[in-house]
């Protein structure tokens, strides 16, 4: 069996299985909805228990025990809702009431009654509002049931939920022919992770909580196969922008094709490091029935941008070259192997983001909603405003340590969070305390208006709420001190986010030699980090996600903070880019050669002249 | 030394030429197949006297172009019927069919309505079934060769020119047919611009690239593809023919496997070029999608609605659509057409014209269609459709009397009319061939495959999306070419 046959077999298996999961009703049998005691809910009138219901066939205890989505010590990575992302916080009722909208339940939440909500990812129409409503009322045991509100299986009656017998099957079971249970769709993933879109309706930025567009906000990525010029987003040169938002989405790939369940036998592929030399393809694998009984809910993942130590979290996702054979498609490229060693695929295939992304989150101030100001890059106008003009941005190229221990250039967006800290060791100041400086709970404080309301309209806009002068900074610090904050000071946390989605196909990729190998090299282009940093504050770069030493935040000559890659002449340069970098030794050798040539020509010419004269004489 | 150098140079040049030839044989180079710009003879000095009528112009033309009329008279543009009898599905004997004797679900049929319908005939005076198809004077040269764009046929003149037309000026202007000449009839089929086809309308006269790449960026004329010999214009629609003769396809100019991506080329065995490269129909001008004759006759409603695109008393109720996705069906180039006198199931939907082919047919490919749906009059007892007389004295448009219209129409067709009538549903498939967009605007994978794709794979005969379940060959629906299939 040659490699092509192996690849075809694997692809067939993957696609075949994928088709199976997408076929929705064809595989999943009808089942009883059970409550936590194991009684049918239609008789007990209790909330549904997924542990019991789904546990009739699937090992729900196993799923609940290992999945990142439910695991204890869930890290709060919601930098848009807290000035302190990345730290561990108590997993309690308050946490669920705040962040539960994007939590799948289970794990520690189970102790509060919020079981793993399988329906969030396995049915099409989830009623998140109803689910959150129950959580806000601390009726966590009803949250899963409420999320079925749009299926018609349950109806709210007063403060409670009633199971509707006529909506169930004749046997009182889940009507699988009407309400499909299937593998997660892009929409299921996108509900928490970012903007995904399918279909022919023009893509627009949805209304609602932008914090749920994490991937899009952090990196500008949109997972959609729609061509940009067909979308409803006003972009630069839209009519000519005929590429899709993501070529993989255009080619009908789904989130779960790359972020697959780790024990899904369809994706079983032994890595070269552990594969015996004599064996190219191992046919032995877990059966589908075994998989369906205990499907791993740990999904293939790349290196997390916020992972401080690359060895902490194993990278389980395949690399581009697992599916793609770059060689045949890059025959036009001089020194292809060298390029592949120095550049990540993303560097050339995601050289720009057509979509805007977050640039800064400023918790040193607070708006009327008590939250920090969010500033974007690549957009003229308000995020979510259909009239806003999206200009996109060019990510910075920074070296990234890959799993094969090579350092390659990869595109990053940098999101800087500004916040107040206090005490020693420093603790981040609560947003509520900062908000109280600006608002009295009803309206803006007059003294805040006096200092910040530059247009005197009685409202503090995001543009006005900036601590760009010593006076403003000191005034807020004084108010915080008055509120009991000890030694308040501003810190900036510059978090790089690797960009992996929004891939362009070859026609739109970076492929002109002069783009990189020239004085104005794209590889060394700056990314603006903060044009409006709080007065005298300095962003500190988080070296997470495998970023090498050559990536740094510097103050440009015009005073702006920018993300930049070190080059020849700087400290710790990691790359020498011919045509873009100056190397003294190379220059000296070149000048030497030049001098020798000129000298040779001069000597030869002189000799010819002299001998010519002699000959004539 | 010099000789060696010359030899090497010659060898190098030869190598370059050979490699270029080899490459061009592989590469898709449609421009090379487009006919060279035509030479045109200026006719402005040929005529000095005014022409009293169209026939006198024709006689003048024939003085030089002696075989032109006889050539045209062999074609469907003149006869409105195919030159060969064809065996229609369900019939024992071959029949000559064409616009002359077929029905559709727009204006229904020309019989008894000649005077109005033959405005688009390339001739003069076809106003009843006694028209002399052998008389060369009746040939209308000007409608196809006028370059003034002022030539116009009288809507009530059975193809004769509008009396206001300056025939001398038109005759002096003549040249090869341009878009406006073809479009005079083909853009306006069904009673107005864009009404009938969905892929041909006035926007093609001077289109933007997003409407048609051939006629915009590449400035092609209709006859660059419909390459005419002796007035025989290739290209036929299933609305008037059921066999695959006298047709051509994209490979007239394009390579059979023109894509760089081998997967796209592999689509060619199951998907027509048009399917991906004509993603929308009627992109600019709305086309008629539904025509319900049964609602006709309500003058009050016409006044109330006040929009002839929704309702007219003489024609009934309409639905138009613009920039919509086509419908898709297997098509092997042949078709089935409703023939006069065929019995119908009034409760069902009768296909006036439908493509033949299926997933099991190796010669069939998935093709885009505009499907025009209608409701039209049929004989309640004989259970066949009737061509009613709509135009002229006694016609429905004058007297709003369906019974009389059916009786007069049946006299013209020779079919028995029982005296009772009803209305039955019909549908008619119109293959989409024009308004081709660039590869950049063509359908992408996700438009057809995956969830939310526009193709209904089950209705096309697949078990599911072939991107994941396999196509006709992989799933054994077709035998591979090496074993006799394609």
């Amino acid at each position: 069996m040659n490699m092509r046959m192996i690849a075809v077999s694997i692809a067939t298996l993957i696609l075949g299985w994928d088709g199976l999961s997408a076929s929705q009703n064809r595989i999943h049998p009808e089942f009883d909805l059970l409550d936590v005691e194991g009684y049918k809910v239609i008789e007990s009138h209790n909330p549904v228990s997924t542990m019991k219901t789904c546990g009739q066939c699937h090992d729900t205890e196993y799923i609940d025990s290992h999945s990142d989505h439910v695991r204890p010590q869930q890290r709060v990575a919601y930098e848009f809702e807290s000035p302190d992302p990345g730290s561990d916080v108590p997993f309690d009722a308050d946490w669920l009431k705040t962040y539960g909208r994007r939590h799948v339940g289970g794990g520690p939440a189970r102790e509060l009654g919020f079981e793993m909500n399988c329906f969030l990812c396995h049915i099409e129409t989830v009623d998140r509002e109803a689910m959150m409503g129950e959580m806000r009322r601390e009726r966590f045991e009803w949250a899963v049931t409420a999320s079925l509100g749009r299926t018609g299986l349950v109806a709210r009656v007063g403060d409670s939920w009633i199971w509707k017998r006529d909506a169930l099957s004749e046997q009182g079971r889940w009507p699988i022919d009407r309400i499909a249970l299937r593998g997660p769709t892009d929409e299921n993933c996108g509900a928490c992770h970012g903007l995904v879109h399918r279909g022919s309706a023009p893509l627009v930025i949805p209304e609602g909580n932008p914090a749920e567009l994490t991937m899009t906000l952090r990196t500008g990525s949109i997972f959609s196969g729609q061509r940009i010029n067909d979308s409803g987003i006003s972009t630069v040169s839209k009519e000519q922008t005929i590429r899709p938002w993501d070529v993989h989405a255009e080619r009908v790939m789904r989130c779960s094709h790359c972020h697959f369940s780790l024990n899904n036998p369809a994706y079983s592929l032994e890595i070269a490091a552990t594969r015996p030399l004599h064996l190219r393809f191992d046919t032995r694998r877990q059966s589908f029935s075994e998989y369906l009984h205990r499907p791993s809910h740990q999904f293939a993942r790349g290196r997390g941008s916020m992972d401080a130590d690359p060895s902490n979290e194993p990278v389980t996702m395949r690399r581009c070259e697992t599916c793609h054979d770059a060689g045949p498609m890059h025959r036009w490229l001089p020194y292809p192997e060298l390029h592949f060693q120095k550049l990540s695929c993303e560097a050339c295939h995601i050289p720009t983001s057509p979509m805007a992304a977050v640039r800064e989150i400023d918790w040193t101030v607070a708006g009327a909603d008590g939250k920090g100001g969010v500033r974007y890059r690549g957009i003229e106008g308000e995020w979510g405003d259909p009239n806003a003009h999206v200009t996109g941005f060019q990510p910075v190229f920074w070296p990234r340590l890959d799993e094969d221990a090579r350092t390659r250039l990869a595109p990053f967006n940098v999101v800087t969070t500004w916040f107040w800290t206090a005490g020693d060791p420093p603790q981040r100041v609560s947003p509520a305390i900062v908000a109280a400086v600006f608002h009295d709970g009803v309206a803006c404080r007059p003294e805040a208006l006096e200092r910040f309301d530059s247009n005197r309209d009685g409202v503090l806009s995001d543009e006005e709420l900036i601590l760009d002068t010593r006076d403003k900074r000191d005034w807020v610090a004084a108010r915080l001190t008055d509120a009991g904050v000890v030694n308040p000071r501003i810190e900036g946390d510059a978090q790089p986010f690797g960009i992996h989605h929004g891939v362009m196909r070859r026609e739109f990729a970076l492929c002109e030699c002069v783009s990189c190998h020239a004085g104005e090299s794209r590889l060394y282009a700056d990314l603006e980090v903060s044009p409006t940093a709080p007065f005298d504050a300095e962003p500190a770069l988080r070296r997470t996600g495998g970023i090498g030493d050559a990536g740094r935040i510097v103050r440009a000559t015009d005073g702006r903070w920018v993300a930049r890659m070190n080059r020849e002449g700087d400290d710790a340069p990691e790359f020498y880019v011919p045509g873009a970098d100056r190397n003294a030794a190379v220059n000296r050798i070149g000048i030497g050669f030049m001098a020798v040539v000129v000298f040779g020509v001069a000597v030869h010419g002189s000799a010819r002249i002299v001998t010519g004269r002699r000959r004539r004489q | 030394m010099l000789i060696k150098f010359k030899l090497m140079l010659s060898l190098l040049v030869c190598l370059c030429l050979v490699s270029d030839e080899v490459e061009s044989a592989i590469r898709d180079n449609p421009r090379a197949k487009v006919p060279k710009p035509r030479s045109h003879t200026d006719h402005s000095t040929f005529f000095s006297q005014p022409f009293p009528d169209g026939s006198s112009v024709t006689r003048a033309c024939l003085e030089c172009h002696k075989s032109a009329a006889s050539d045209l008279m062999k074609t469907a543009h003149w006869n409105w019927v195919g030159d060969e009898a064809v065996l229609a599905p369900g019939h024992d004997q071959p029949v000559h069919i064409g616009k002359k004797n077929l029905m559709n679900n727009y204006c229904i049929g020309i019989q008894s309505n000649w005077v109005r319908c033959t405005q688009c005939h390339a001739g003069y005076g076809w106003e009843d079934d006694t028209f002399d198809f052998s008389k060369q004077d009746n040939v209308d040269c000007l409608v196809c060769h006028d370059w003034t764009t002022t030539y116009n046929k009288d809507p009530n003149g059975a193809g004769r020119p509008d009396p206001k037309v300056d025939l001398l000026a038109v005759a002096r202007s003549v040249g090869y047919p341009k878009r406006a000449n073809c479009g005079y009839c083909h853009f306006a089929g069904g009673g107005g611009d864009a009404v009938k086809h969905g892929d041909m309308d006035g926007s093609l006269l001077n289109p933007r690239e997003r409407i048609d790449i051939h006629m915009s960026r590449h400035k092609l004329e209709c006859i660059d593809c419909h390459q005419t010999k002796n007035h025989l214009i290739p290209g036929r629609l299933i609305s008037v023919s059921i066999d695959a003769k006298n047709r051509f396809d994209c490979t007239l100019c394009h390579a059979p496997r023109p894509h760089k991506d081998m997967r796209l080329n592999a689509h060619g065995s199951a998907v027509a070029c048009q399917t991906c490269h004509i993603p929308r129909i009627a992109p600019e001008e709305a086309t008629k999608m539904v025509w319900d004759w049964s609602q006709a006759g309500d003058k009050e409603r016409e006044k109330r609605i006040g929009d002839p695109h929704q309702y007219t008393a003489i024609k009934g109720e309409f639905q138009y659509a613009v920039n919509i996705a086509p419908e898709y069906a297997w098509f092997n180039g042949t078709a089935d057409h409703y023939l006069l006198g065929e019995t119908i199931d009034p409760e069902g939907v009768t296909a006036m014209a439908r493509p033949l082919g299926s997933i099991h047919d190796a010669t069939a490919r998935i093709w885009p269609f505009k499907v025009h749906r209608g409701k039209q009059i049929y004989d309640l007892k004989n259970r066949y459709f009737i061509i009613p007389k709509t135009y002229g004295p006694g016609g429905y448009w004058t007297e709003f009397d369906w019974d009389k219209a059916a009786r007069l129409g049946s006299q013209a067709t020779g079919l028995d009319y029982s005296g009772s009538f009803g209305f039955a549903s019909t549908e008619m498939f119109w293959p989409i061939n024009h308004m081709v967009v660039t590869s950049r605007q063509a359908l992408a994978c996700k438009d057809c495959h995956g969830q939310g794709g526009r193709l209904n794979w089950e209705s096309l005969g697949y078990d599911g999306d072939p991107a994941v379940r396999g196509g006709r060959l992989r799933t054994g629906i077709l035998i591979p070419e090496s074993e006799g299939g394609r």
Side-chain angles (χ1 to χ4, degrees):
Chain A
M1 187 183 284
N2 61 26
M3 284 307 288
R4 177 170 292 190
M5 286 181 69
I6 294 170
V8 169
S9 306
I10 294 167
T12 307
L13 202 56
I14 290 170
L15 293 175
W17 169 250
D18 195 64
L20 201 65
S21 60
S23 63
Q24 303 186 348
N25 300 337
R26 296 184 185 178
I27 191 168
H28 206 288
E30 284 190 354
F31 56 92
D32 287 316
L33 284 155
L34 305 179
D35 65 16
V36 72
E37 300 294 331
Y39 297 113
K40 293 182 181 180
V41 294
I42 197 68
E43 292 161 3
S44 70
H45 309 292
N46 286 329
V48 67
S49 161
T50 51
M51 297 301 289
K52 291 288 184 197
T53 301
C54 304
Q56 294 174 87
C57 297
H58 306 284
D59 189 344
T60 45
E61 289 292 348
Y62 163 75
I63 297 168
D64 184 80
S65 66
H66 77 280
S67 172
D68 258 352
H69 282 73
V70 298
R71 91 167 33 166
Q73 304 302 314
Q74 171 82 19
R75 291 174 67 205
V76 182
Y78 305 156
E79 62 272 30
F80 307 104
E81 299 180 31
S82 162
D84 195 7
S87 64
D88 296 334
V89 294
F91 207 113
D92 54 15
D94 286 338
W95 191 97
L96 274 181
K97 285 157 72 175
T98 308
Y99 304 116
R101 186 182 176 84
R102 285 187 284 157
H103 188 247
V104 299
R110 209 169 137 198
E111 292 172 16
L112 296 165
F114 183 31
E115 288 187 354
M116 202 165 49
N117 191 349
C118 309
F119 305 118
L120 278 182
C121 302
H122 292 284
I123 66 170
E124 188 178 350
T125 50
V126 179
D127 193 340
R128 286 171 187 275
E129 293 307 320
M131 183 182 81
M132 275 309 291
E134 294 303 324
M135 287 207 256
R136 285 193 203 99
R137 284 195 286 274
E138 298 198 12
R139 288 163 31 107
F140 299 111
E141 68 279 11
W142 279 101
V144 176
T145 303
S147 69
L148 298 175
R150 289 166 62 191
T151 63
L153 298 179
V154 284
R156 177 190 287 282
V157 177
D159 279 345
S160 189
W161 293 87
I162 301 295
W163 292 98
K164 297 172 73 175
R165 181 176 287 277
D166 57 350
L168 298 172
S169 73
E170 287 180 12
Q171 291 75 35
R173 308 177 113 198
W174 180 283
I176 200 71
D177 56 331
R178 286 195 295 108
I179 307 170
L181 279 166
R182 73 283 186 274
T185 62
D186 294 350
E187 285 79 3
N188 291 121
C189 303
C192 294
H193 290 290
L195 185 53
V196 301
H197 174 269
R198 199 165 40 195
S200 56
L203 182 153
V204 293
I205 302 171
E207 293 179 2
N209 187 359
E212 288 175 8
L213 305 177
T214 319
M215 175 186 76
T216 309
L217 290 169
R218 289 172 173 173
T219 64
S221 302
I222 294 175
F223 195 67
S224 168
Q226 188 167 79
R227 292 189 178 105
I228 292 173
N229 63 340
D230 289 333
S231 73
I233 298 176
S234 171
T235 58
V236 174
S237 305
K238 184 173 176 179
E239 196 64 21
Q240 285 77 46
T241 314
I242 50 174
R243 76 170 185 84
W245 291 97
D246 186 288
V247 69
H248 290 118
E250 186 193 46
R251 302 287 164 98
V252 206
M253 286 184 66
R254 301 209 304 264
C255 304
S256 56
H257 286 159
C258 293
H259 302 280
F260 49 85
S261 162
L262 289 183
N263 70 347
N264 184 339
Y267 288 86
S268 173
L269 183 67
E270 191 156 9
I271 58 173
T274 59
R275 193 182 66 215
L277 286 176
H278 71 283
L279 204 58
R280 282 180 168 168
F281 182 68
D282 191 345
T283 58
R284 295 165 299 179
R285 58 196 59 229
Q286 182 176 235
S287 72
F288 278 117
S289 59
E290 288 169 318
Y291 167 65
L292 290 175
H293 176 57
R294 302 187 85 190
S296 172
H297 278 58
Q298 199 71 320
F299 307 118
R301 64 190 292 278
R303 168 162 299 148
S305 291
M306 300 174 86
D307 291 345
D309 182 354
S311 61
N312 272 354
E313 298 286 351
V315 174
T316 47
M317 208 168 77
R318 287 171 191 160
R319 295 170 53 85
C320 307
E321 54 266 35
T322 313
C323 297
H324 292 279
D325 184 355
M329 304 310 292
H330 290 81
R331 289 196 179 119
W332 59 273
L333 180 67
Y335 308 104
E337 287 306 319
L338 187 62
H339 279 91
F340 297 157
Q341 286 173 13
K342 302 292 184 186
L343 292 169
S344 67
C345 302
E346 295 99 311
C348 296
H349 288 273
I350 321 177
T352 61
S353 168
M355 183 58 188
V358 171
R359 189 188 67 215
E360 293 169 88
I361 307 167
D362 190 355
W363 291 99
T364 62
V365 292
D369 58 357
K371 291 191 174 179
V374 181
R375 300 183 192 111
Y376 300 89
R377 64 173 87 252
I379 188 168
E380 294 168 1
E382 295 290 318
W383 179 278
D385 178 359
N387 295 317
H389 186 50
V390 175
T391 56
F393 69 97
Q394 284 195 343
V396 65
F397 286 140
W398 273 347
R400 180 189 70 194
L401 181 65
D402 284 335
E403 292 71 55
D404 58 359
R406 282 195 177 280
T407 299
R408 295 181 175 87
L409 289 177
F412 288 88
N413 179 37
V414 179
V415 177
T416 304
T417 307
W418 301 103
F419 48 87
W420 288 98
T421 59
D424 188 22
Q427 298 287 320
R428 300 194 186 192
V429 177
S430 161
I433 298 174
V434 178
V437 172
F438 295 90
H439 306 274
D440 60 9
V442 179
C444 286
R445 294 186 186 280
E447 55 270 42
L449 282 175
E450 186 184 330
R451 280 175 176 76
F452 291 90
D453 187 17
S454 53
N455 62 5
R456 301 296 169 202
D457 64 350
V459 179
L460 294 181
S461 66
D462 287 343
E463 290 74 29
E464 292 168 331
L465 271 174
I466 297 174
L467 304 185
D468 53 351
T469 64
R470 182 189 298 272
D471 174 57
K472 289 177 183 173
R473 184 201 63 179
D474 291 350
W475 181 79
V476 176
R479 298 291 78 72
L480 290 173
T481 306
D482 294 346
V485 176
V486 179
N487 187 23
R489 56 207 180 271
I490 294 175
E491 289 184 22
D493 188 5
Q495 171 68 59
F497 288 104
I499 305 178
H500 311 289
H501 302 86
V503 180
M504 305 177 188
R505 63 172 183 257
R506 58 176 180 244
E507 298 96 302
F508 309 103
L510 202 62
C511 56
E512 296 288 336
C513 301
V514 293
S515 301
C516 301
H517 299 284
E520 295 293 316
S521 174
R522 172 67 189 83
L523 300 179
Y524 292 122
D526 290 343
L527 176 73
E528 189 176 60
V529 168
S530 177
T532 54
F535 181 77
D536 211 19
E538 189 171 326
L541 175 63
R542 280 186 177 225
R543 293 203 178 273
T544 54
I547 287 185
D549 292 337
R552 58 186 179 137
I553 305 281
V554 298
R555 193 186 278 277
T557 50
D558 60 4
R560 295 172 307 137
W561 289 102
V562 296
R564 179 178 289 174
M565 182 170 71
N566 283 2
R567 60 196 304 175
E568 284 288 320
D570 296 326
D571 295 335
E574 291 196 32
F575 292 91
Y576 171 73
V577 184
D581 282 326
R582 287 169 178 270
N583 184 297
V586 172
N587 287 347
R588 278 196 288 274
I589 291 169
I591 291 168
F593 274 123
M594 189 73 185
V596 169
V597 168
V598 170
F599 177 75
V601 169
V603 170
H604 178 72
S606 303
R608 291 288 303 267
I609 291 168
V610 170
T611 53
R613 281 180 182 165
R614 283 180 182 168
R615 205 172 290 144
R616 280 198 296 274
Q617 287 169 358
Chain B
M1 185 68 184
L2 188 65
I3 293 171
K4 272 187 182 175
F5 176 72
K6 283 181 178 175
L7 274 171
M8 284 181 69
L9 192 65
S10 306
L11 190 65
L12 197 66
V13 169
C14 286
L15 274 172
C16 289
L17 290 173
V18 168
S19 65
D20 191 43
E21 199 170 282
V22 170
E23 193 185 341
S24 65
I26 299 165
R27 198 174 51 204
D28 184 28
N29 184 16
R31 196 71 198 167
K33 308 253 182 80
V34 175
K36 301 278 184 298
R38 296 159 192 81
S39 57
H40 167 61
T41 304
D42 184 356
H43 285 61
S44 60
T45 59
F46 290 6
F47 312 111
S48 55
Q49 299 297 317
F51 293 101
D53 55 25
S55 292
S56 60
V57 181
T58 305
R59 283 192 290 275
C61 298
L62 294 177
E63 285 179 22
C64 296
H65 303 278
K66 295 190 184 306
S67 65
S70 58
D71 286 343
L72 178 78
M73 286 172 163
K74 295 171 189 162
T75 73
H77 272 88
W78 174 257
N79 294 311
W80 280 17
V81 74
D83 52 351
E84 285 181 31
V86 290
L87 192 61
H91 289 256
D92 300 332
Q93 299 296 321
V95 287
H96 283 274
I97 62 167
K99 198 174 179 69
K100 188 178 183 179
N101 56 11
L102 287 175
M103 299 174 74
N104 62 43
N105 61 0
Y106 287 89
C107 302
I108 300 180
I110 74 161
Q111 292 170 87
S112 75
N113 301 304
W114 291 282
V115 174
R116 183 71 184 85
C117 298
T118 57
Q119 184 191 4
C120 276
H121 182 235
Y124 302 126
W126 184 2
E127 53 196 12
D128 54 33
D129 58 358
T130 63
F131 179 68
D132 186 355
F133 284 93
S134 64
K135 191 177 177 185
Q136 294 194 347
D137 287 6
N138 285 345
V139 171
D140 181 354
C141 307
L142 299 179
V143 70
C144 299
H145 295 281
D146 163 45
W147 273 19
T148 66
T149 68
T150 62
Y151 185 74
N152 189 26
K153 282 173 167 256
D154 183 352
N156 307 309
R160 298 183 185 90
D162 187 324
K164 287 179 277 189
V165 173
D166 181 348
L167 292 174
L168 177 60
V170 173
R172 284 173 163 176
S173 77
V174 293
Y176 56 80
K178 293 184 175 179
R179 296 172 192 171
N181 299 103
C182 305
Y184 182 79
C185 292
H186 291 287
F187 294 168
D193 187 32
V195 167
K196 190 177 265 183
H197 293 272
D199 63 342
M200 280 195 284
D201 59 44
S203 67
L204 287 176
L205 287 173
N206 188 21
R208 288 173 287 165
E209 287 198 1
R210 71 175 190 83
I211 300 293
D212 187 287
I213 188 63
H214 292 127
M215 300 177 103
S216 55
R217 187 189 300 173
H218 302 301
K219 298 184 171 47
L220 297 191
E221 297 287 349
C222 305
I223 57 171
D224 286 326
C225 295
H226 297 269
Q227 295 173 9
T228 306
K229 285 181 183 163
N230 300 326
H231 283 85
L232 179 65
I233 304 173
R236 292 196 297 182
L237 272 178
I238 66 170
S239 60
V240 288
S241 66
I242 59 173
D243 60 0
K245 290 177 183 167
N246 197 26
R247 294 213 179 108
F248 63 90
D249 58 28
C250 307
T251 57
L252 184 72
C253 297
H254 291 276
R257 297 165 68 81
H259 306 99
K260 290 176 186 166
D261 188 329
M262 59 188 287
R263 280 168 303 182
L264 293 182
N265 284 332
H267 278 68
S269 63
V271 180
C273 309
Q274 292 89 328
T275 302
C276 298
H277 288 274
I278 313 179
R280 316 291 292 176
I281 57 176
E284 197 151 275
E285 306 290 336
T287 188
K288 190 176 287 185
M289 301 303 293
V290 177
W291 185 334
D292 184 353
W293 280 98
S294 71
Q295 300 297 312
D298 189 342
K299 292 180 183 173
E300 285 303 313
R301 186 178 172 191
E302 180 178 288
K303 279 185 198 164
R304 195 169 61 249
I305 292 175
D307 180 359
H309 294 95
Q310 290 186 44
Y311 184 82
T312 65
I314 62 170
K315 294 181 177 177
E317 193 176 276
F318 313 121
Q319 286 177 27
Y320 280 77
V322 66
N323 196 27
I324 55 165
E327 295 183 39
Y328 298 92
W330 290 101
F331 182 36
N332 63 13
T334 65
D336 186 13
H337 208 294
Y338 177 80
L339 300 182
L340 269 179
E342 285 183 339
T343 54
I344 62 163
D345 171 12
E347 302 302 316
V349 180
T350 304
M352 303 306 283
R354 68 178 177 89
L356 295 179
S358 74
I359 192 171
H360 302 286
D361 181 347
T363 63
R365 292 185 295 168
I366 297 169
W367 204 283
F369 291 89
K370 171 191 168 181
V371 183
H372 182 256
R373 296 185 165 84
K375 217 169 186 187
Q376 60 198 79
I377 187 168
Y378 77 101
D379 188 312
L380 208 57
K381 288 183 181 160
N382 290 316
R383 294 162 69 91
Y384 48 60
F385 285 115
I386 300 166
I387 296 180
K389 181 174 174 59
T390 50
Y391 179 81
Y396 184 79
W397 292 355
T398 315
E399 303 197 10
F400 295 93
D401 182 346
W402 276 122
D403 181 64
K404 188 173 183 180
R407 198 174 304 282
L408 292 173
S410 297
Q411 284 171 11
T413 59
L415 285 178
D416 175 50
Y417 172 53
S418 68
S420 57
F421 65 88
F423 291 88
S425 297
T426 57
E427 63 182 12
M428 192 167 184
F429 286 71
W430 294 79
I432 299 300
N433 290 297
H434 304 91
M435 297 187 169
V436 178
V437 297
T438 64
S439 56
R440 302 288 175 85
Q441 291 173 279
L443 293 184
C445 313
K446 54 93 186 167
D447 290 311
C448 299
H449 298 288
Q451 286 178 302
R454 62 168 63 185
L455 291 187
N456 184 334
W457 299 111
E458 280 77 11
S459 75
L460 288 167
Y462 289 97
D463 191 31
D465 187 345
V468 292
R469 290 172 182 269
R472 296 194 289 179
L473 288 174
R474 202 170 93 191
T475 52
I477 294 171
L478 285 186
I479 307 163
E481 193 171 2
S482 58
E483 297 171 33
R486 192 176 77 170

